[in-house]
Amino acid sequence: MKIIAIGGVAASMSAVSKLRRLNKDAEIIVYEKGEVLSYGACGMPYYISDEIKDPKRLIARTKEQFLKLGIVVHTNHEVIEVNDKEKTIKVLNIKANEIFTDSFDKLIIGTGASAIIPKWENVELENIHVLSVYEDSIAIKHKLDTENIKNVTVVGAGFIGVELVEAFTTRGLNVTLIELGEHILSSFDQDIAENLHQHLIDKGVSLKLNEKVIKFEGNNKIEKVITNKGEYLSDLVIISVGIIPNTKFLRNSNIALAKNGAIKVNDCMETNIKDIYAGGDCSLIYNRATKEYNYLPMGNNANKQGRVIAENINGSKFEFLGVLGTTVIKVIDMEAAKTGLTEKEAKRLHKNYKTVMISGRNHAGYYPNPENITVKIVYEQGTYKILGASLVGRKDTALRINIFAVAIQSNMTTKELGFLDLAYAPPFAGVWDVVAVAANLAK
Ligand SMILES: Cc1cc2nc3c(=O)[nH]c(=O)nc-3n(C[C@H](O)[C@H](O)[C@H](O)COP(=O)(O)OP(=O)(O)OC[C@H]3O[C@@H](n4cnc5c(N)ncnc54)[C@H](O)[C@@H]3O)c2cc1C
């Protein structure tokens, strides 16, 4: 069996690594258009902040290490076409500028996504970056280390934008964050996300909400960001306004794509074409909370999908149960997390829902340095079934979301969660943990 994987990061590499463990004999070839593969993209903001000094620490395995496992990786090779009828791909060897054809028995598509760059005037000026791939993080850090950069503007307050705001603030830079919407982190409910606004402002971030970038100005290099409300001196700009699946090379194939270009897959990560699988940021994923196939481009999802692909290619019918859209973010000294349905999703899906929102302590009030955690639960009216939860606060907030992920996946009610045997000792929780208190207040 000859297996080709396109893309060399989370989805593809977890698929081929697992496949190798399951099947010692299969021929496995990977084509990756970049120079570096198998790295933790999620760690890039912490390399830029200088908390991680050596970028190589982000790399899980090198090409040579994969070769020792019998996985042949071709870097600087871009797949430019898939012929699903003939089971062949066209590959561009970028360095040699040569195109050749290869054939497969099974194909794995794990090509990820690229940052969207709007066609703003002067967007091509120097020192305007996106943070999408490893090389972007090297370029951004190099500029911070070698140029006299004082003022940084981040456009877009999604996960990557906010993580970069933290990175630049950690480096002591003047940071402006421009966001088109009313609040940061648009996937969260406003009443959760806006708890982070004052914290950003307290940390010196100039937060501009409901503001739209119009153009950039500068002489070769960026100097100013112009919006509908003002202009901001900038030595460096990061555009983080969303991502788009890397699936353009499939346009002449019969592989079915969703509206945003993501590959449609079933619960075995099969596309509509036999023997072609997809996973990670280039594909949709089943969301148990919405009961839809959604676009949820997250590293943990990509890794799980990769393993499901391997199991299925190897012949065991392994159906993925789906995800809950669980996400977590650190915002300087605060943390936020969510799982299942937010209130706005419950509204969109016309659920018969209610919410409860409270603030409580991370540990016993008499134990030193207690901090507040805000908990919001979305539950079904009448049945009390938990549909979703969001948390925001300081220390000890984020990982409490995992209680809710288990509760939702097990169809628990607020009543069951309220009396769950959660751990208690003064340094860790109150005798009634804030999660249980919130659940017990659901009426
Ligand atoms: C700054 C940042 C922070 C993040 N933080 C988190 C986090 O905290 N938690 C979380 O869950 N997720 C996080 N993510 C998202 C996570 O990194 C992605 O979900 C994950 O990397 C997706 O893996 P993937 O394999 O699908 O795609 P990618 O990691 O994008 O890899 C795809 C690879 O395919 C290659 N490729 C594309 N087209 C072709 C082609 N035609 N031919 C050959 N090769 C091709 C690309 O060069 C790329 O290397 C973060 C992402 C970024 C950028």
Side-chain angles (χ1 to χ4, degrees), residues 6-12 31-34 36 39 41-42 44-45 77-79 110-113 131-133 160 163 246 249 279-282 297-300 302:
I6 317 176
V9 189
S12 284
Y31 291 109
E32 162 56 54
K33 79 172 178 193
V36 179
Y39 64 94
C42 315
M44 295 191 297
H77 280 64
E78 181 177 1
V79 174
T111 47
L131 178 61
S132 185
V133 294
I160 295 172
E163 286 183 354
N246 290 326
F249 69 105
D281 289 7
C282 65
M298 303 297 297
N300 46 356

mmCIF file of all heavy atoms in Angstrom, residues 6-12 31-34 36 39 41-42 44-45 77-79 110-113 131-133 160 163 246 249 279-282 297-300 302, ligand 1:
data_model
loop_
_atom_site.group_PDB
_atom_site.id
_atom_site.type_symbol
_atom_site.label_atom_id
_atom_site.label_comp_id
_atom_site.label_asym_id
_atom_site.label_seq_id
_atom_site.Cartn_x
_atom_site.Cartn_y
_atom_site.Cartn_z
ATOM 1 N N ILE A 6 -0.259 15.014 2.162
ATOM 2 C CA ILE A 6 0.084 16.374 1.716
ATOM 3 C C ILE A 6 0.015 17.290 2.929
ATOM 4 O O ILE A 6 -1.025 17.393 3.580
ATOM 5 C CB ILE A 6 -0.883 16.888 0.629
ATOM 6 C CG1 ILE A 6 -1.192 15.798 -0.405
ATOM 7 C CG2 ILE A 6 -0.320 18.127 -0.052
ATOM 8 C CD1 ILE A 6 -2.230 16.214 -1.446
ATOM 9 N N GLY A 7 1.137 17.974 3.197
ATOM 10 C CA GLY A 7 1.208 18.832 4.391
ATOM 11 C C GLY A 7 1.972 18.091 5.475
ATOM 12 O O GLY A 7 1.794 16.879 5.644
ATOM 13 N N GLY A 8 2.819 18.814 6.191
ATOM 14 C CA GLY A 8 3.713 18.126 7.132
ATOM 15 C C GLY A 8 3.624 18.609 8.555
ATOM 16 O O GLY A 8 4.638 18.643 9.261
ATOM 17 N N VAL A 9 2.409 18.979 9.021
ATOM 18 C CA VAL A 9 2.353 19.446 10.414
ATOM 19 C C VAL A 9 1.421 18.526 11.229
ATOM 20 O O VAL A 9 1.621 17.310 11.248
ATOM 21 C CB VAL A 9 2.010 20.951 10.510
ATOM 22 C CG1 VAL A 9 2.167 21.468 11.945
ATOM 23 C CG2 VAL A 9 2.955 21.759 9.624
ATOM 24 N N ALA A 10 0.407 19.079 11.851
ATOM 25 C CA ALA A 10 -0.333 18.306 12.862
ATOM 26 C C ALA A 10 -1.156 17.152 12.276
ATOM 27 O O ALA A 10 -0.971 15.990 12.665
ATOM 28 C CB ALA A 10 -1.225 19.254 13.653
ATOM 29 N N ALA A 11 -2.059 17.465 11.357
ATOM 30 C CA ALA A 11 -2.985 16.423 10.890
ATOM 31 C C ALA A 11 -2.236 15.320 10.138
ATOM 32 O O ALA A 11 -2.338 14.134 10.481
ATOM 33 C CB ALA A 11 -4.058 17.054 9.992
ATOM 34 N N SER A 12 -1.456 15.719 9.144
ATOM 35 C CA SER A 12 -0.759 14.719 8.326
ATOM 36 C C SER A 12 0.241 13.923 9.133
ATOM 37 O O SER A 12 0.300 12.698 9.034
ATOM 38 C CB SER A 12 0.025 15.402 7.199
ATOM 39 O OG SER A 12 -0.832 15.803 6.189
ATOM 40 N N TYR A 31 4.574 15.164 1.281
ATOM 41 C CA TYR A 31 5.010 16.366 0.560
ATOM 42 C C TYR A 31 4.632 17.593 1.378
ATOM 43 O O TYR A 31 3.461 17.777 1.721
ATOM 44 C CB TYR A 31 4.352 16.439 -0.829
ATOM 45 C CG TYR A 31 4.867 15.382 -1.768
ATOM 46 C CD1 TYR A 31 4.060 14.308 -2.142
ATOM 47 C CD2 TYR A 31 6.165 15.442 -2.278
ATOM 48 C CE1 TYR A 31 4.536 13.325 -3.000
ATOM 49 C CE2 TYR A 31 6.647 14.459 -3.133
ATOM 50 C CZ TYR A 31 5.830 13.407 -3.491
ATOM 51 O OH TYR A 31 6.318 12.444 -4.327
ATOM 52 N N GLU A 32 5.611 18.408 1.699
ATOM 53 C CA GLU A 32 5.384 19.629 2.497
ATOM 54 C C GLU A 32 5.994 20.802 1.736
ATOM 55 O O GLU A 32 7.156 20.754 1.354
ATOM 56 C CB GLU A 32 6.026 19.473 3.875
ATOM 57 C CG GLU A 32 6.264 20.763 4.651
ATOM 58 C CD GLU A 32 5.022 21.614 4.871
ATOM 59 O OE1 GLU A 32 4.031 21.112 5.389
ATOM 60 O OE2 GLU A 32 5.061 22.817 4.493
ATOM 61 N N LYS A 33 5.207 21.844 1.545
ATOM 62 C CA LYS A 33 5.720 22.946 0.713
ATOM 63 C C LYS A 33 6.719 23.842 1.442
ATOM 64 O O LYS A 33 7.527 24.517 0.814
ATOM 65 C CB LYS A 33 4.582 23.744 0.084
ATOM 66 C CG LYS A 33 3.910 24.731 0.963
ATOM 67 C CD LYS A 33 2.943 25.554 0.128
ATOM 68 C CE LYS A 33 2.223 26.540 1.017
ATOM 69 N NZ LYS A 33 1.091 27.162 0.393
ATOM 70 N N GLY A 34 6.676 23.831 2.768
ATOM 71 C CA GLY A 34 7.630 24.643 3.538
ATOM 72 C C GLY A 34 8.943 23.914 3.778
ATOM 73 O O GLY A 34 9.146 22.790 3.328
ATOM 74 N N VAL A 36 10.178 23.600 7.021
ATOM 75 C CA VAL A 36 10.129 22.979 8.347
ATOM 76 C C VAL A 36 8.836 22.179 8.471
ATOM 77 O O VAL A 36 7.806 22.564 7.921
ATOM 78 C CB VAL A 36 10.160 24.086 9.427
ATOM 79 C CG1 VAL A 36 10.078 23.516 10.824
ATOM 80 C CG2 VAL A 36 11.427 24.902 9.275
ATOM 81 N N TYR A 39 5.906 20.866 13.586
ATOM 82 C CA TYR A 39 6.215 21.815 14.652
ATOM 83 C C TYR A 39 4.924 22.256 15.349
ATOM 84 O O TYR A 39 3.828 22.117 14.796
ATOM 85 C CB TYR A 39 6.970 23.039 14.107
ATOM 86 C CG TYR A 39 6.173 23.863 13.131
ATOM 87 C CD1 TYR A 39 5.431 24.964 13.541
ATOM 88 C CD2 TYR A 39 6.146 23.533 11.779
ATOM 89 C CE1 TYR A 39 4.682 25.711 12.650
ATOM 90 C CE2 TYR A 39 5.390 24.266 10.873
ATOM 91 C CZ TYR A 39 4.668 25.354 11.318
ATOM 92 O OH TYR A 39 3.915 26.070 10.430
ATOM 93 N N ALA A 41 2.761 24.933 16.014
ATOM 94 C CA ALA A 41 2.422 26.311 15.622
ATOM 95 C C ALA A 41 1.872 27.089 16.815
ATOM 96 O O ALA A 41 2.079 28.307 16.941
ATOM 97 C CB ALA A 41 1.410 26.286 14.486
ATOM 98 N N CYS A 42 1.206 26.374 17.708
ATOM 99 C CA CYS A 42 0.581 27.024 18.870
ATOM 100 C C CYS A 42 1.622 27.665 19.789
ATOM 101 O O CYS A 42 1.300 28.539 20.588
ATOM 102 C CB CYS A 42 -0.234 26.012 19.665
ATOM 103 S SG CYS A 42 -1.250 24.956 18.631
ATOM 104 N N MET A 44 4.192 29.401 18.736
ATOM 105 C CA MET A 44 4.874 30.547 18.091
ATOM 106 C C MET A 44 4.714 31.869 18.850
ATOM 107 O O MET A 44 5.697 32.625 18.958
ATOM 108 C CB MET A 44 4.419 30.685 16.633
ATOM 109 C CG MET A 44 4.835 29.494 15.778
ATOM 110 S SD MET A 44 4.615 29.714 13.991
ATOM 111 C CE MET A 44 2.869 29.915 13.826
ATOM 112 N N PRO A 45 3.548 32.188 19.413
ATOM 113 C CA PRO A 45 3.454 33.460 20.156
ATOM 114 C C PRO A 45 4.447 33.518 21.324
ATOM 115 O O PRO A 45 4.941 34.590 21.678
ATOM 116 C CB PRO A 45 2.012 33.475 20.655
ATOM 117 C CG PRO A 45 1.268 32.618 19.679
ATOM 118 C CD PRO A 45 2.237 31.537 19.287
ATOM 119 N N HIS A 77 8.248 20.967 -1.359
ATOM 120 C CA HIS A 77 7.502 20.322 -2.448
ATOM 121 C C HIS A 77 6.021 20.653 -2.264
ATOM 122 O O HIS A 77 5.429 20.282 -1.240
ATOM 123 C CB HIS A 77 7.681 18.801 -2.425
ATOM 124 C CG HIS A 77 8.969 18.337 -3.024
ATOM 125 N ND1 HIS A 77 10.201 18.652 -2.480
ATOM 126 C CD2 HIS A 77 9.224 17.602 -4.143
ATOM 127 C CE1 HIS A 77 11.156 18.109 -3.220
ATOM 128 N NE2 HIS A 77 10.597 17.476 -4.244
ATOM 129 N N GLU A 78 5.464 21.346 -3.241
ATOM 130 C CA GLU A 78 4.053 21.743 -3.151
ATOM 131 C C GLU A 78 3.196 20.891 -4.087
ATOM 132 O O GLU A 78 3.516 20.775 -5.283
ATOM 133 C CB GLU A 78 3.925 23.228 -3.541
ATOM 134 C CG GLU A 78 2.492 23.699 -3.449
ATOM 135 C CD GLU A 78 2.328 25.184 -3.756
ATOM 136 O OE1 GLU A 78 3.335 25.855 -4.062
ATOM 137 O OE2 GLU A 78 1.177 25.641 -3.705
ATOM 138 N N VAL A 79 2.150 20.329 -3.560
ATOM 139 C CA VAL A 79 1.223 19.583 -4.417
ATOM 140 C C VAL A 79 0.307 20.602 -5.080
ATOM 141 O O VAL A 79 -0.330 21.414 -4.400
ATOM 142 C CB VAL A 79 0.434 18.539 -3.593
ATOM 143 C CG1 VAL A 79 -0.624 17.868 -4.469
ATOM 144 C CG2 VAL A 79 1.399 17.515 -3.009
ATOM 145 N N GLY A 110 -3.712 17.184 4.449
ATOM 146 C CA GLY A 110 -3.585 17.902 5.735
ATOM 147 C C GLY A 110 -2.870 19.204 5.473
ATOM 148 O O GLY A 110 -1.822 19.471 6.055
ATOM 149 N N THR A 111 -3.445 19.997 4.578
ATOM 150 C CA THR A 111 -2.740 21.195 4.090
ATOM 151 C C THR A 111 -3.015 22.446 4.920
ATOM 152 O O THR A 111 -2.515 23.530 4.587
ATOM 153 C CB THR A 111 -3.104 21.462 2.614
ATOM 154 O OG1 THR A 111 -4.524 21.357 2.480
ATOM 155 C CG2 THR A 111 -2.432 20.467 1.695
ATOM 156 N N GLY A 112 -3.798 22.319 5.976
ATOM 157 C CA GLY A 112 -3.968 23.455 6.883
ATOM 158 C C GLY A 112 -4.682 24.640 6.260
ATOM 159 O O GLY A 112 -5.498 24.505 5.335
ATOM 160 N N ALA A 113 -4.354 25.807 6.759
ATOM 161 C CA ALA A 113 -5.031 27.038 6.323
ATOM 162 C C ALA A 113 -4.011 28.163 6.257
ATOM 163 O O ALA A 113 -2.927 28.059 6.831
ATOM 164 C CB ALA A 113 -6.136 27.387 7.317
ATOM 165 N N LEU A 131 0.910 35.821 11.123
ATOM 166 C CA LEU A 131 1.575 34.725 11.832
ATOM 167 C C LEU A 131 0.805 33.456 11.506
ATOM 168 O O LEU A 131 -0.254 33.193 12.075
ATOM 169 C CB LEU A 131 1.590 34.975 13.348
ATOM 170 C CG LEU A 131 2.235 33.836 14.156
ATOM 171 C CD1 LEU A 131 3.693 33.625 13.772
ATOM 172 C CD2 LEU A 131 2.122 34.097 15.652
ATOM 173 N N SER A 132 1.348 32.713 10.566
ATOM 174 C CA SER A 132 0.646 31.519 10.103
ATOM 175 C C SER A 132 1.561 30.300 10.165
ATOM 176 O O SER A 132 1.202 29.270 10.709
ATOM 177 C CB SER A 132 0.169 31.780 8.679
ATOM 178 O OG SER A 132 -0.594 30.735 8.203
ATOM 179 N N VAL A 133 2.772 30.448 9.621
ATOM 180 C CA VAL A 133 3.701 29.314 9.592
ATOM 181 C C VAL A 133 4.984 29.661 10.354
ATOM 182 O O VAL A 133 5.240 30.820 10.692
ATOM 183 C CB VAL A 133 4.025 28.898 8.128
ATOM 184 C CG1 VAL A 133 2.796 28.355 7.428
ATOM 185 C CG2 VAL A 133 4.621 30.050 7.341
ATOM 186 N N ILE A 160 -5.282 34.333 17.663
ATOM 187 C CA ILE A 160 -3.882 34.611 17.324
ATOM 188 C C ILE A 160 -3.555 36.072 17.630
ATOM 189 O O ILE A 160 -2.516 36.376 18.216
ATOM 190 C CB ILE A 160 -3.596 34.240 15.854
ATOM 191 C CG1 ILE A 160 -3.752 32.723 15.693
ATOM 192 C CG2 ILE A 160 -2.203 34.692 15.414
ATOM 193 C CD1 ILE A 160 -3.684 32.227 14.276
ATOM 194 N N GLU A 163 -3.231 36.511 21.405
ATOM 195 C CA GLU A 163 -1.994 35.891 21.919
ATOM 196 C C GLU A 163 -0.776 36.745 21.556
ATOM 197 O O GLU A 163 0.177 36.850 22.323
ATOM 198 C CB GLU A 163 -1.840 34.472 21.371
ATOM 199 C CG GLU A 163 -2.806 33.510 22.047
ATOM 200 C CD GLU A 163 -2.663 32.067 21.612
ATOM 201 O OE1 GLU A 163 -1.890 31.766 20.687
ATOM 202 O OE2 GLU A 163 -3.368 31.233 22.197
ATOM 203 N N ASN A 246 -6.380 25.799 2.968
ATOM 204 C CA ASN A 246 -5.497 25.662 1.793
ATOM 205 C C ASN A 246 -5.997 24.535 0.897
ATOM 206 O O ASN A 246 -5.515 23.399 0.952
ATOM 207 C CB ASN A 246 -4.069 25.327 2.252
ATOM 208 C CG ASN A 246 -3.409 26.492 2.949
ATOM 209 O OD1 ASN A 246 -3.632 27.646 2.612
ATOM 210 N ND2 ASN A 246 -2.574 26.190 3.941
ATOM 211 N N PHE A 249 -5.676 24.055 -4.585
ATOM 212 C CA PHE A 249 -5.095 23.077 -5.510
ATOM 213 C C PHE A 249 -6.060 21.926 -5.820
ATOM 214 O O PHE A 249 -5.780 21.103 -6.675
ATOM 215 C CB PHE A 249 -3.762 22.538 -4.949
ATOM 216 C CG PHE A 249 -3.931 21.664 -3.736
ATOM 217 C CD1 PHE A 249 -3.800 20.289 -3.833
ATOM 218 C CD2 PHE A 249 -4.221 22.211 -2.503
ATOM 219 C CE1 PHE A 249 -3.963 19.471 -2.725
ATOM 220 C CE2 PHE A 249 -4.385 21.407 -1.381
ATOM 221 C CZ PHE A 249 -4.262 20.038 -1.496
ATOM 222 N N GLY A 279 -8.031 16.033 7.050
ATOM 223 C CA GLY A 279 -8.181 16.394 8.454
ATOM 224 C C GLY A 279 -7.422 17.672 8.757
ATOM 225 O O GLY A 279 -6.596 18.129 7.965
ATOM 226 N N GLY A 280 -7.707 18.256 9.913
ATOM 227 C CA GLY A 280 -7.020 19.478 10.332
ATOM 228 C C GLY A 280 -7.674 20.723 9.763
ATOM 229 O O GLY A 280 -8.853 20.715 9.378
ATOM 230 N N ASP A 281 -6.893 21.785 9.701
ATOM 231 C CA ASP A 281 -7.431 23.108 9.346
ATOM 232 C C ASP A 281 -7.934 23.219 7.905
ATOM 233 O O ASP A 281 -8.501 24.241 7.529
ATOM 234 C CB ASP A 281 -6.353 24.186 9.546
ATOM 235 C CG ASP A 281 -6.060 24.456 11.011
ATOM 236 O OD1 ASP A 281 -6.586 23.720 11.864
ATOM 237 O OD2 ASP A 281 -5.302 25.402 11.293
ATOM 238 N N CYS A 282 -7.683 22.195 7.074
ATOM 239 C CA CYS A 282 -8.196 22.264 5.692
ATOM 240 C C CYS A 282 -9.569 21.609 5.599
ATOM 241 O O CYS A 282 -10.151 21.546 4.516
ATOM 242 C CB CYS A 282 -7.221 21.607 4.709
ATOM 243 S SG CYS A 282 -7.027 19.844 4.970
ATOM 244 N N PRO A 297 -10.771 25.136 13.358
ATOM 245 C CA PRO A 297 -9.348 24.878 13.100
ATOM 246 C C PRO A 297 -8.492 24.975 14.355
ATOM 247 O O PRO A 297 -7.992 26.038 14.689
ATOM 248 C CB PRO A 297 -8.990 25.983 12.090
ATOM 249 C CG PRO A 297 -9.930 27.102 12.415
ATOM 250 C CD PRO A 297 -11.180 26.495 12.947
ATOM 251 N N MET A 298 -8.346 23.860 15.038
ATOM 252 C CA MET A 298 -7.580 23.822 16.278
ATOM 253 C C MET A 298 -6.579 22.671 16.232
ATOM 254 O O MET A 298 -6.853 21.624 15.638
ATOM 255 C CB MET A 298 -8.507 23.591 17.482
ATOM 256 C CG MET A 298 -9.620 24.601 17.653
ATOM 257 S SD MET A 298 -9.042 26.276 17.970
ATOM 258 C CE MET A 298 -8.208 26.088 19.525
ATOM 259 N N GLY A 299 -5.481 22.859 16.929
ATOM 260 C CA GLY A 299 -4.421 21.856 16.931
ATOM 261 C C GLY A 299 -4.859 20.521 17.511
ATOM 262 O O GLY A 299 -4.500 19.459 16.993
ATOM 263 N N ASN A 300 -5.637 20.569 18.612
ATOM 264 C CA ASN A 300 -6.065 19.290 19.211
ATOM 265 C C ASN A 300 -6.990 18.538 18.261
ATOM 266 O O ASN A 300 -6.920 17.311 18.150
ATOM 267 C CB ASN A 300 -6.697 19.505 20.601
ATOM 268 C CG ASN A 300 -7.702 20.634 20.633
ATOM 269 O OD1 ASN A 300 -7.896 21.333 19.640
ATOM 270 N ND2 ASN A 300 -8.346 20.823 21.761
ATOM 271 N N ALA A 302 -6.901 18.692 14.946
ATOM 272 C CA ALA A 302 -6.088 18.175 13.826
ATOM 273 C C ALA A 302 -5.390 16.876 14.234
ATOM 274 O O ALA A 302 -5.340 15.915 13.454
ATOM 275 C CB ALA A 302 -5.050 19.221 13.420
HETATM 276 C C1 LIG B 1 -0.037 31.447 16.152
HETATM 277 C C2 LIG B 1 -0.917 30.269 16.280
HETATM 278 C C3 LIG B 1 -1.315 29.839 17.536
HETATM 279 C C4 LIG B 1 -2.148 28.744 17.673
HETATM 280 N N1 LIG B 1 -2.526 28.353 18.932
HETATM 281 C C5 LIG B 1 -3.333 27.272 19.077
HETATM 282 C C6 LIG B 1 -3.702 26.803 20.368
HETATM 283 O O1 LIG B 1 -3.282 27.363 21.393
HETATM 284 N N2 LIG B 1 -4.512 25.727 20.440
HETATM 285 C C7 LIG B 1 -4.981 25.066 19.341
HETATM 286 O O2 LIG B 1 -5.700 24.075 19.467
HETATM 287 N N3 LIG B 1 -4.631 25.486 18.097
HETATM 288 C C8 LIG B 1 -3.840 26.555 17.943
HETATM 289 N N4 LIG B 1 -3.465 26.972 16.682
HETATM 290 C C9 LIG B 1 -3.999 26.246 15.520
HETATM 291 C C10 LIG B 1 -3.156 25.029 15.197
HETATM 292 O O3 LIG B 1 -1.831 25.397 15.060
HETATM 293 C C11 LIG B 1 -3.684 24.406 13.919
HETATM 294 O O4 LIG B 1 -5.014 24.012 14.159
HETATM 295 C C12 LIG B 1 -2.875 23.217 13.472
HETATM 296 O O5 LIG B 1 -1.548 23.570 13.189
HETATM 297 C C13 LIG B 1 -3.504 22.631 12.221
HETATM 298 O O6 LIG B 1 -2.710 21.585 11.761
HETATM 299 P P1 LIG B 1 -2.806 21.137 10.246
HETATM 300 O O7 LIG B 1 -1.867 19.987 10.111
HETATM 301 O O8 LIG B 1 -4.206 20.944 9.854
HETATM 302 O O9 LIG B 1 -2.326 22.386 9.396
HETATM 303 P P2 LIG B 1 -0.998 23.251 9.426
HETATM 304 O O10 LIG B 1 -0.387 23.258 10.761
HETATM 305 O O11 LIG B 1 -1.389 24.543 8.814
HETATM 306 O O12 LIG B 1 -0.037 22.477 8.436
HETATM 307 C C14 LIG B 1 -0.332 22.348 7.088
HETATM 308 C C15 LIG B 1 0.945 22.231 6.303
HETATM 309 O O13 LIG B 1 0.608 21.945 4.954
HETATM 310 C C16 LIG B 1 1.506 22.614 4.091
HETATM 311 N N5 LIG B 1 0.857 22.757 2.791
HETATM 312 C C17 LIG B 1 -0.190 23.558 2.481
HETATM 313 N N6 LIG B 1 -0.536 23.398 1.182
HETATM 314 C C18 LIG B 1 0.317 22.481 0.675
HETATM 315 C C19 LIG B 1 0.465 21.906 -0.615
HETATM 316 N N7 LIG B 1 -0.351 22.223 -1.604
HETATM 317 N N8 LIG B 1 1.471 21.030 -0.799
HETATM 318 C C20 LIG B 1 2.307 20.689 0.219
HETATM 319 N N9 LIG B 1 2.198 21.203 1.456
HETATM 320 C C21 LIG B 1 1.209 22.080 1.687
HETATM 321 C C22 LIG B 1 1.748 23.931 4.791
HETATM 322 O O14 LIG B 1 2.985 24.477 4.372
HETATM 323 C C23 LIG B 1 1.755 23.521 6.268
HETATM 324 O O15 LIG B 1 3.048 23.280 6.738
HETATM 325 C C24 LIG B 1 -2.612 28.051 16.522
HETATM 326 C C25 LIG B 1 -2.202 28.467 15.252
HETATM 327 C C26 LIG B 1 -1.359 29.563 15.119
HETATM 328 C C27 LIG B 1 -0.936 30.004 13.747
#
